[in-house]
Amino acid sequence: MDNPNDPFDTDSGGILRQPKSVWATAGASVVAFMGIGLVDPILPSIAKGLDATAGQVSLLFTSYFLITALAMLVTGFVSSRIGGRKTLLLGLALVVVFAGLSGTSGSVGELVGFRAGWGLGNALFVSTALAVIVGAAAGGSAAAILLYESALGLGMACGPLAGALLGDASWRYPFFGTAALMAVGFLCIAAFLREQPKPARKTSPLDPLRALGHGGLASTAVSAFFYNYTFFTVLAFTPFVLNMSPYRSGAVFFAWGVLLAVFSVLVAPRLQKRFGSLRVLGGSLLLLAVDVLVLGYGDHTTAVVCTVLSGTLIGVNNTVYTELALGVSDAPRPVASAGYNFVRWFAAAAAPFFAPKIEEWTDVHVPFVVAAVTAALGALVVAVRRRALSLPTAKERQPRRAAGDGATAFAN
């Protein structure tokens, strides 16, 4: 019997039954998210190949996410003027160019600079891709968010694996491989995604900042800021602590990414239904704090196990935060998403920079203590701002949709 509330029910327009344009966008999103974890298993190889320190190589994440955060203020400005399809293609083109240039780098400074350009392209693509998927997906926003999180999880899982397989021969090959895959994504978007209607109202670069005036969205962003610091301490700093070969490191983060995907798509919705989003988020953040603390003080085997297990908690958190960011305020979804991402990506830029510095100033354990504290702070924000973070009912959200939701403007 069909269940319209089940996002995996293909007979009722669920997550598996989508237009070609949605699958093309989701497929390209997988590759875009691969670019985040791609460098994980080859960070030590890059440091060796370019005669750089761990702190210098970690700037590959810092430059990437710093530009991504700043670009969030202009993604809506661009897409509302040239349309969703052209914005996606522009973002993909920039990723192809800068990923390819990254593979030609002769110094760590060049590589950091090319990663910044890559971050700009990724910001244009990822922010618009979410709006396209939410607007065009069959089965409503719940199915669309799960599809987007599926792409995120699959990309985060495959990125380290691709980085390990290609990076075993040379640290340059993963960058060339990403450029080739994104070129394929460019062709798929060009072939299957029709020209998107432009939103009735053009977005200003200040709109995402104005959206943060909503207490619920601001609280979501602040909590996610603390959480992202923990997330990217695990992603960017742990490879140096594990000190494994590209293959072994790639295998660890592949397992981590698989759990991230499974828990974001399959487990998180069930936990939310049973316990409620805020209770699940607060509990998951506290468990993540414990996990990274044990990771920092355990032996090598314990560190590997905790790294892999952190994927379960990160997967749950990602799904809940995405739903909160898109639904807690009355701002159009693309504007709310841009404001939320503007805040949280600064933490993704900060963690890879500060974690190695903290290790230099203290010892290898303290960066994980800081990461545990930030996860706990994220949970504290959820607890203190519980009332502001409560999602509005469908009836309460109706005025926003009637006024013209930016996400639905991208629908086919």
Side-chain angles (χ1 to χ4, degrees):
M1 184 175 179
D2 294 348
N3 180 6
N5 296 318
D6 183 357
F8 293 92
D9 182 0
T10 58
D11 292 329
S12 58
I15 190 173
L16 299 178
R17 195 173 181 181
Q18 302 294 342
K20 289 181 180 178
S21 59
V22 172
W23 286 118
T25 306
S29 297
V30 171
V31 183
F33 288 119
M34 282 175 63
I36 296 177
L38 180 84
V39 299
D40 249 33
I42 58 171
L43 285 175
S45 299
I46 294 173
K48 183 178 180 180
L50 295 178
D51 193 24
T53 66
Q56 289 173 322
V57 173
S58 294
L59 291 176
L60 296 178
F61 286 99
T62 298
S63 64
Y64 181 90
F65 287 114
L66 182 61
I67 297 301
T68 296
L70 294 173
M72 285 298 163
L73 297 180
V74 300
T75 54
F77 176 86
V78 173
S79 64
S80 65
R81 283 161 175 78
I82 68 174
R85 181 176 182 272
K86 291 179 180 177
T87 304
L88 289 176
L89 293 175
L90 175 61
L92 286 169
L94 287 172
V95 172
V96 170
V97 170
F98 284 104
L101 287 174
S102 294
T104 68
S105 300
S107 68
V108 70
E110 284 185 9
L111 184 53
V112 168
F114 291 143
R115 279 283 284 182
W118 187 341
L120 173 60
N122 205 58
L124 288 169
F125 174 80
V126 170
S127 61
T128 309
L130 176 57
V132 169
I133 291 174
V134 168
S141 62
I145 289 172
L146 287 180
L147 185 62
Y148 183 77
E149 292 298 334
S150 298
L152 187 155
L154 187 58
M156 295 291 273
C158 294
L161 188 62
L165 293 174
L166 295 174
D168 189 59
S170 170
W171 65 263
R172 299 179 186 274
Y173 290 169
F175 296 109
F176 295 138
T178 300
L181 287 173
M182 286 305 258
V184 173
F186 182 97
L187 294 175
C188 289
I189 296 291
F192 295 116
L193 184 63
R194 297 197 301 270
E195 189 62 59
Q196 304 295 291
K198 298 176 184 177
R201 176 180 172 274
K202 289 182 172 60
T203 300
S204 161
L206 295 179
D207 283 348
L209 297 178
R210 295 190 185 103
L212 290 170
H214 185 279
L217 183 60
S219 300
T220 302
V222 170
S223 178
F225 175 89
F226 289 123
Y227 157 66
N228 262 35
Y229 186 94
T230 307
F231 178 0
F232 284 92
T233 297
V234 173
L235 191 63
F237 182 65
T238 303
F240 290 106
V241 176
L242 298 180
N243 194 26
M244 303 166 79
S245 68
Y247 274 127
R248 291 180 180 274
S249 182
V252 168
F253 280 95
F254 173 71
W256 168 86
V258 169
L259 289 179
L260 187 155
V262 169
F263 273 73
S264 64
V265 176
L266 298 177
V267 179
R270 288 165 172 78
L271 290 175
Q272 288 175 271
K273 185 176 181 180
R274 182 168 182 178
F275 300 107
S277 295
L278 299 185
R279 190 175 297 174
V280 168
L281 182 60
S284 181
L285 287 168
L286 290 176
L287 288 174
L288 182 60
V290 173
D291 181 87
V292 296
L293 199 59
V294 175
L295 192 164
Y297 281 93
D299 58 20
H300 188 268
T301 301
T302 302
V304 169
V305 171
C306 288
T307 299
V308 173
L309 289 179
S310 70
T312 64
L313 303 169
I314 289 170
V316 170
N317 293 338
N318 285 350
T319 295
V320 180
Y321 274 122
T322 300
E323 290 189 9
L324 285 175
L326 294 182
V328 74
S329 76
D330 56 357
R333 289 188 183 102
V335 174
S337 177
Y340 158 76
N341 281 305
F342 171 73
V343 174
R344 75 178 182 119
W345 286 130
F346 276 111
F353 175 79
F354 284 112
K357 294 291 185 184
I358 293 171
E359 181 194 15
E360 291 176 12
W361 299 332
T362 55
D363 59 47
V364 73
H365 307 298
V366 178
F368 294 101
V369 174
V370 174
V373 170
T374 55
L377 287 173
L380 180 63
V381 172
V382 172
V384 172
R385 298 289 294 167
R386 190 176 191 85
R387 186 181 297 273
L389 289 168
S390 297
L391 288 169
T393 64
K395 187 175 182 180
E396 291 171 330
R397 288 195 295 264
Q398 190 63 35
R400 178 181 69 176
R401 291 198 294 268
D405 190 327
T408 57
F410 291 105
N412 285 341

